[in-house]
Amino acid sequence: MGRPGSIAVLDVGKSNVKLSACDAAGHVVETLTTPNRVLPGPPWRHHDLRSLNEWVLAGLADLGRRHPLAHFVASGHGSGGVLVGDDPDAGGDGVVLPMVDYEQPLPDGLAKAYAPLAGDFFDRGSAVMMAATHTARQMFWAERDRPADFARARWCLGIPQYWAWRLTGMAVSEATILGAQSHLWNVARGDWSPIVAGRGWGRLMPPFAKASDDLGPVRAALEAKGVPQLRVHAGVHDSSANFHRYRAAGMAGICVISTGTWIVALADGVALSRLDEARGMTLNADVAGAPVGGALTMGGREYSAVAGDQPEDARVDRAVLVRLIARGTMALPSFGTNDGQFPGTAGLGRIVGPPPASAAERHALAVLYVALLTVECGNRLDATREWVLDGSFLRDPAFAALVAALRPGRVTRVNAEGYGIAAGAAALFQPDRAMPAPDLADPLPLPGLDGLTDYAARWRALAEDGTK
């Protein structure tokens, strides 16, 4: 069990899917990647699970030829419920209805019909968010518009549990994925939200398992196709896996802020009374099912809206950043369909001051903007704690430097490993084993930003004006 490369971790993100071989310490040895393709309807825009099944099974066989894989753990985002039948082999993916793309706009009237069914904040764990976010709302849509197909469903599974079921035939529910704004699980109460009983959905909810639970071996039919003889674990929400990576290393009491499509801040020990759904705050669950405070915004989309097309190796030029700050060029929320920490701003994003005149200025402004959004997320949870930053935004060192500069006198650290989700998921195959601490670093200094404090204060005041 402890051999290098012994855990296969599947990480299903909104845009990309990664399949990694990890050693017992959670270090990634090799990774395969593929886009998470979205197909048009009918009945709605949906992820191409049939093709993804082929890729995952072939990838496991491929990695298994080079690494002594013994365990499998899946992670995934929290906005994807999968309605499946009895047989994991049915139709090549086992689903009875395609898995909704959560950025798919809703049909007329559905949001209004859903709202009174969703319960209070603790029943939902979040505000009612954009488009087709929330598994419960996806289920309501399916039940309303495709009742015959919905009636054929045997289980509703989160993304990680779908892959565990696909490999083993065992269907389970799991707290971190249900606590990731599914609107199906009340984390504070440790019970199903009222919509489950109210709609008669209890028949679709399988028994609970812990994220680390061993559900059994890969089915013989898949082994015959070349999939290694893996022990399959129940699986975990992606940001919760990343958070667990630090908790498993004994690092309690910190605020972990991961970046990518979403900026997600998580912290334990946050008073439930602090959580404000209007400010993008959430109630998540850790791998033991206990409450974890959260704050999120769709930072990757906000960055793209401001930066436009940029090379992957784009880096902020300090002189450009100084110039933008000096002349008061600002990006104000929110360009996308998510309010984030500024209620009522979705779709109202704008640039004030002299507009950026080059690709370098657009990139620098976008990095400054998402650094400000990151600080808003972290401050909502606890402005005084040690913060640990990780994720794709760290590709540009100016991001972490700006976050640190925006909270002077506080501790801000950087985890440049780049595989926190995989490491946290891999840690689940031995849940009682302490993980080695990540190699954290201080952000690189970014001198000459004398006007940053005043700039940030004005930015925040203008952003708040947009909420009125």
Side-chain angles (χ1 to χ4, degrees), residues 95 167 183 185 224 284 290 292 345:
V95 305
L167 293 181
H183 288 192
W185 183 248
N284 289 65
V292 173
T345 63

Side-chain angles (χ1 to χ4, degrees), residues 403-410 453:
V403 172
L406 287 164
R407 52 190 312 259
R410 310 297 186 191
T453 299

